[in-house]
Amino acid sequence: MARPKLAVWKFASCDGCQLSILDCEDELLAIADRIDIAYFPEASSRMAPGPYDLSLVEGSITTADDVARIKDIRDQSRTLVAIGACATAGGIQALRNTADVAEWTRLVYPRPEYIETLATSTAIADHVRVDLELHGCPVSKAQLVELVTAVLAGRRPQIPSAVQCVECKRHGTPCVMVSHGTPCLGPVTRAGCGNLCPSVGRGCYGCFGPVEGANTDALAAQFRRLGLPEAAQRALYGGVTCAAPAFAAARGRHD
């Protein structure tokens, strides 16, 4: 039987999620003979034509050309997965969504008339049907391996949906808010990072985006008990997942 064809695509991003794929060296070697990496410019000059069985898409949509290209990719892909914070929530570049992009362009570029960009940076799912999303900045290496393995096995990937606080409990990490009053987005953030920041005494920055049903109002009440000013609360939601609906709404309430 023909091997499933994998394609990896880039839009507006830092390439970190693609590098996470390349970082799966041992795991990729174990399945390399079962999958055809047909299109992955970050890793190879080989660019085989579609259709593709699995497309992994990194980055957000920021130009009119991006909109046309993602629709073409969707047409060529049996399964399309958005990977990382840019592809699932617009990325750090989505901070421009509430700003005057024309004014920013005028201030940054000596010839702004040459810049063609949309007023917003948006997730892949805002433009085409997405079969699955892998969150994070960067995306979880373990989740990437599980995704590709599941596709090869013909089953649905087992991707965690727990809140970050559950991951802290599993690792035996003391709550940074309870133990020393450090502001933390863990109670409203999806787990998946491997418990990076709380394990070294830092609050969660929300890199994996809001968990389903995120109660940002309850968290705001806790922040007020800690004496955190409204402006500081708003800044907490201004990271790489700032445009995820629950976090964008929370930012708006602290204006």
Side-chain angles (χ1 to χ4, degrees):
M1 295 177 61
R3 293 179 297 167
K5 293 175 70 174
L6 169 69
V8 182
W9 310 89
K10 171 185 165 57
F11 287 85
S13 63
C14 71
D15 286 30
C17 291
Q18 293 185 79
L19 292 176
S20 291
I21 299 173
L22 295 176
D23 196 36
C24 299
E25 295 175 346
D26 295 338
E27 294 85 352
L28 286 177
L29 286 173
I31 62 174
D33 61 341
R34 297 183 55 200
I35 195 165
D36 176 15
I37 303 177
Y39 183 93
F40 190 179
E42 185 90 2
S44 172
S45 59
R46 181 190 177 215
M47 298 185 186
Y52 306 98
D53 295 286
L54 173 62
S55 279
L56 305 179
V57 182
E58 178 195 56
S60 64
I61 304 301
T62 59
T63 69
D65 287 343
D66 286 348
V67 175
R69 190 159 69 95
I70 191 58
K71 290 179 178 178
D72 181 58
I73 291 170
R74 174 70 270 186
D75 289 342
Q76 297 183 65
S77 306
R78 179 180 178 185
T79 299
L80 187 148
V81 181
I83 63 170
C86 294
T88 59
I92 194 70
Q93 55 269 31
L95 284 170
R96 79 196 210 192
N97 293 3
T98 57
D100 185 340
V101 174
E103 177 66 8
W104 279 17
T105 304
R106 185 187 66 79
L107 292 171
V108 171
Y109 297 97
R111 298 298 298 270
E113 65 271 21
Y114 293 156
I115 305 301
E116 296 183 1
T117 186
L118 300 175
T120 57
S121 172
T122 47
I124 301 301
D126 290 335
H127 302 273
V128 297
R129 175 176 57 84
V130 170
D131 297 295
L132 189 69
E133 292 183 332
L134 294 186
H135 301 268
C137 182
V139 70
S140 162
K141 173 181 171 180
Q143 290 183 12
L144 278 169
V145 172
E146 164 61 14
L147 169 71
V148 176
T149 303
V151 169
L152 289 174
R155 61 172 174 81
R156 183 167 182 81
Q158 301 298 309
I159 305 300
S161 59
V163 70
Q164 171 58 36
C165 295
V166 172
E167 197 160 299
C168 282
K169 291 289 186 182
R170 288 171 177 165
H171 284 79
T173 302
C175 176
V176 296
M177 282 201 292
V178 173
S179 60
H180 45 85
T182 298
C184 177
L185 293 182
V188 294
T189 297
R190 181 183 289 102
C193 67
N195 201 38
L196 289 176
C197 293
S199 67
V200 293
R202 299 171 66 178
C204 171
Y205 291 95
C207 297
F208 274 66
V211 72
E212 185 176 353
N215 191 344
T216 55
D217 287 336
L219 185 58
Q222 174 63 16
F223 286 157
R224 286 192 290 271
R225 284 191 285 271
L226 294 175
L228 197 65
E230 291 292 312
Q233 292 190 45
R234 185 179 190 277
L236 283 174
Y237 294 103
V240 294
T241 52
C242 60
F247 285 1
R251 289 180 72 231
R253 286 195 292 273
H254 294 299
D255 281 342

